[in-house]
Amino acid sequence: MSGSDTDVIVVGGGVIGLTTAVVLAESGHRVGLWTRDPVARTTSAVAGALVWPYRIEPARQVGAWLEESLRHYVQLARTPDRTGVRIVAGLMADTPLAGLGSWASKMPELREARADELPGGFGQGLRAAVPLIDMPVYLRYLKERLRRAGGTVERRSVTGLAEPAAESSVVIDCTGLGARELAGDASLYPVRGQVVIVENPGIDEWFVAAGPGSSAMTYLMPQPYGVLLGGTASDHSWDLSPDPAEAEAIVARCARIRPELAGARVLEHRVGLRPARPRVRLEAVRLPGGGRVVHNYGHGGAGVTVAWGCAAAAAGLAVAAA
């Protein structure tokens, strides 16, 4: 399928771009997805991928996007080997139930944790069973689902949105941090996240403690490939190299929660850059040449969490723009 044979070109091969392309293709549109990097090497592939809002605004819209996404993930969790989506129980520390939005009523088994369920040093927390996603498997699943719906995936770098607009009257910009240059958006900035993958010593529940203003976080997520330990949230850092000191500190923080992690063999170090912005940009604008672009980026640390809701909204804007 060449550009002239498509109704819509989606630029960006991470979870936001893939999900948006799937929604459009399964609605009967001819969709081409352009991605600079292989899907398996996008920022999305590094994500811990627990469905829970983190560093994303505006809160009211986020709640609606999350509810729509949660509905999809619960369904996908019926076939975890194929999709990489599982429903896993765990604890969100230092997060009051009263501070959550209406989406909390849709989260499976969400309740206040009892005192005996809290690790030492934590006075409060929430128990829940939520979608936890093996991102390499899930991204492959989305890519194949797009192809089954008639969409195409092409490795292609662009220097401006005029390039895809020359081949399709509707372009959806899901380029994450790339939109800083492609869309001239100086409000977009990276939040660097580093994680450590270790062998699983028998952990079957996730744990998260993430203070809103701290660059150091503590989270552990059991995945089929090991336990993903985190993490960091360093604003305006573009450094993709793992920091050995940070890795050591991450393991130490997680071992305070689960001591058996202290001796777990390290399998891998990963670094990703979250595409942060004061609020998600989800809007349609007209290009100078007469085409339309729908921007869908700036999801911070919650791209997976809101992907299906934002994809549905972006697809609606794309159809209106066509």
Side-chain angles (χ1 to χ4, degrees):
M1 187 190 295
S2 66
S4 60
D5 296 325
T6 62
D7 298 323
V8 183
I9 292 176
V10 177
V11 185
V15 70
I16 296 295
L18 276 169
T19 309
T20 302
V22 166
V23 168
L24 282 161
E26 292 183 347
S27 298
H29 298 277
R30 298 173 300 170
V31 179
L33 184 141
W34 293 5
T35 179
R36 181 191 63 190
D37 302 313
V39 167
R41 292 181 58 193
T42 59
T43 296
S44 297
V46 181
L50 183 79
V51 174
W52 195 279
Y54 173 69
R55 294 191 72 139
I56 181 170
E57 294 289 346
R60 179 174 296 181
Q61 287 173 278
V62 167
W65 296 331
L66 191 160
E67 288 187 32
E68 172 72 6
S69 301
L70 183 62
R71 184 175 63 82
H72 284 271
Y73 291 131
V74 168
Q75 184 175 20
L76 292 172
R78 296 173 183 170
T79 53
D81 291 343
R82 184 165 65 99
T83 65
V85 182
R86 298 170 296 135
I87 305 296
V88 180
L91 182 112
M92 182 70 61
D94 292 339
T95 302
L97 187 59
L100 304 181
S102 61
W103 58 266
S105 64
K106 307 294 193 301
M107 197 64 80
E109 302 176 31
L110 181 63
R111 62 173 175 82
E112 291 278 0
R114 300 187 310 269
D116 65 339
E117 295 175 315
L118 296 169
F122 294 93
Q124 188 275 334
L126 301 176
R127 292 279 307 173
V130 306
L132 178 62
I133 303 171
D134 178 347
M135 287 306 292
V137 172
Y138 182 58
L139 292 172
R140 287 196 298 271
Y141 163 78
L142 286 178
K143 185 177 177 181
E144 179 56 31
R145 184 165 161 177
L146 173 60
R147 285 178 166 156
R148 287 200 308 270
T152 62
V153 178
E154 182 178 352
R155 286 281 307 281
R156 187 158 172 177
S157 296
V158 300
T159 57
L161 294 173
E163 293 175 45
E167 300 191 30
S168 177
S169 60
V170 180
V171 174
I172 305 189
D173 170 18
C174 301
T175 56
L177 276 176
R180 184 176 170 88
E181 299 299 328
L182 292 176
D185 189 345
S187 72
L188 195 63
Y189 64 94
V191 178
R192 180 183 178 276
Q194 178 169 327
V195 299
V196 183
I197 313 299
V198 302
E199 284 187 341
N200 194 336
I203 291 170
D204 59 6
E205 291 197 346
W206 54 267
F207 173 88
V208 176
S214 174
S215 63
M217 311 152 63
T218 302
Y219 56 85
L220 52 101
M221 299 174 185
Q223 295 281 11
Y225 51 79
V227 186
L228 185 148
L229 309 181
T232 62
S234 305
D235 291 359
H236 303 286
S237 173
W238 293 88
D239 186 2
L240 284 168
S241 301
D243 182 320
E246 284 187 344
E248 185 177 342
I250 287 168
V251 174
R253 288 198 299 274
C254 291
R256 283 195 288 272
I257 305 302
R258 297 294 298 262
E260 61 267 44
L261 288 168
R265 185 166 71 95
V266 174
L267 302 177
E268 187 181 356
H269 299 274
R270 297 178 183 174
V271 177
L273 305 178
R274 305 175 183 93
R277 197 174 184 272
R279 57 187 290 143
V280 172
R281 187 179 187 190
L282 189 45
E283 64 175 341
V285 299
R286 185 168 298 280
L287 293 173
R292 301 270 285 183
V293 59
V294 176
H295 294 290
N296 183 14
Y297 65 79
H299 302 85
V304 173
T305 297
V306 300
W308 287 98
C310 286
L317 291 171
V319 172

